[in-house]
Amino acid sequence: LLALPLTWLIIFRYIPMTGVLMAFEDYSVRHGIFGSQWVGFKHFIDFFQTPNFKTLMVNTIGLSLYSLIAGFPIPIILALALNELSSVRIKKYVQTITFMPYFVSVVVLISILSQIFHVNYGIINIFLKSIGIEPMNIMGTSEAFRHMYVWTGVWQSAGYNAVLYIAALSSIGPELKEAATIDGASRFQKVCHIDFPGI
């Protein structure tokens, strides 16, 4: 019984880890992973000493923190809101609509964004022209990149993550809410004191 799962684990989880060795070698295609010359931390030291290292590190940490701050509460709020809907039909409909962006590939997402924000024929700039405002090159500004990157990621993953939180909410026993109702708790108090900690 263990032969098939162990084979899968070794082939798809452990064998690919040999590629990590390339970071510590002067990798040569001719010599392969195990035949290339070992250089230790040389590549890491070279990277740390490049003039762009500080900028790269600040940008990476900044994007990660921004993504975490923006992306963490939204799926929880969405899951709590969906959990409170009394209509099962509307709940399933909203859940499906919010889950669908998860299946949109990054390439398609960038194409959609470039169509929406294009300088000449993008929907946003056409609207701005119609109200007398000069078109803006939103996709060409470095200030807009961080926001577009983070919020498109939130849009893509919010529905999927909400499904995970809804699964956690479904494991909360109904007797807790019944006891809270008897004690006179409002709907909002139940969400704050039962659902939110239960996630």
Side-chain angles (χ1 to χ4, degrees):
L1 288 173
L2 286 174
L4 195 61
L6 281 175
T7 305
W8 177 87
L9 189 72
I10 290 164
I11 291 171
F12 293 105
R13 294 287 185 232
Y14 282 94
I15 292 175
M17 285 173 65
T18 57
V20 172
L21 293 173
M22 290 174 15
F24 304 96
E25 299 174 336
D26 266 336
Y27 179 71
S28 165
V29 177
R30 192 161 52 100
H31 295 112
I33 291 174
F34 298 108
S36 296
Q37 184 186 356
W38 187 263
V39 292
F41 289 103
K42 176 183 175 287
H43 300 304
F44 293 91
I45 292 165
D46 290 346
F47 174 64
F48 294 147
Q49 290 175 347
T50 57
N52 293 332
F53 172 71
K54 187 179 177 185
T55 306
L56 292 170
M57 193 55 71
V58 167
N59 283 341
T60 302
I61 292 169
L63 275 174
S64 298
L65 289 173
Y66 186 9
S67 297
L68 186 66
I69 291 164
F72 181 69
I74 290 173
I76 294 173
I77 293 165
L78 180 61
L80 291 170
L82 287 171
N83 194 50
E84 287 301 307
L85 281 174
S86 54
S87 171
V88 178
R89 187 177 174 191
I90 293 171
K91 181 179 177 179
K92 295 291 180 192
Y93 179 75
V94 172
Q95 200 171 338
T96 303
I97 294 296
T98 56
F99 192 82
M100 283 170 64
Y102 183 73
F103 298 106
V104 176
S105 74
V106 175
V107 176
V108 173
L109 180 62
I110 298 302
S111 298
I112 292 168
L113 287 175
S114 62
Q115 293 296 317
I116 293 171
F117 295 108
H118 193 275
V119 179
N120 298 322
Y121 55 83
I123 298 165
I124 303 293
N125 281 316
I126 289 171
F127 173 73
L128 291 174
K129 280 181 197 172
S130 70
I131 59 172
I133 298 173
E134 198 66 31
M136 295 183 291
N137 186 11
I138 298 166
M139 291 290 279
T141 58
S142 58
E143 296 83 18
F145 168 77
R146 185 171 288 160
H147 304 296
M148 292 179 88
Y149 173 81
V150 169
W151 289 104
T152 53
V154 170
W155 173 74
Q156 269 194 300
S157 61
Y160 174 78
N161 292 330
V163 169
L164 301 177
Y165 291 124
I166 289 167
L169 285 167
S170 66
S171 67
I172 297 170
E175 64 274 359
L176 288 171
K177 288 200 175 183
E178 289 167 9
T181 304
I182 291 167
D183 289 341
S186 67
R187 202 167 177 180
F188 182 72
Q189 287 173 323
K190 285 186 230 176
V191 168
C192 291
H193 298 291
I194 297 171
D195 291 339
F196 188 68
I199 288 176

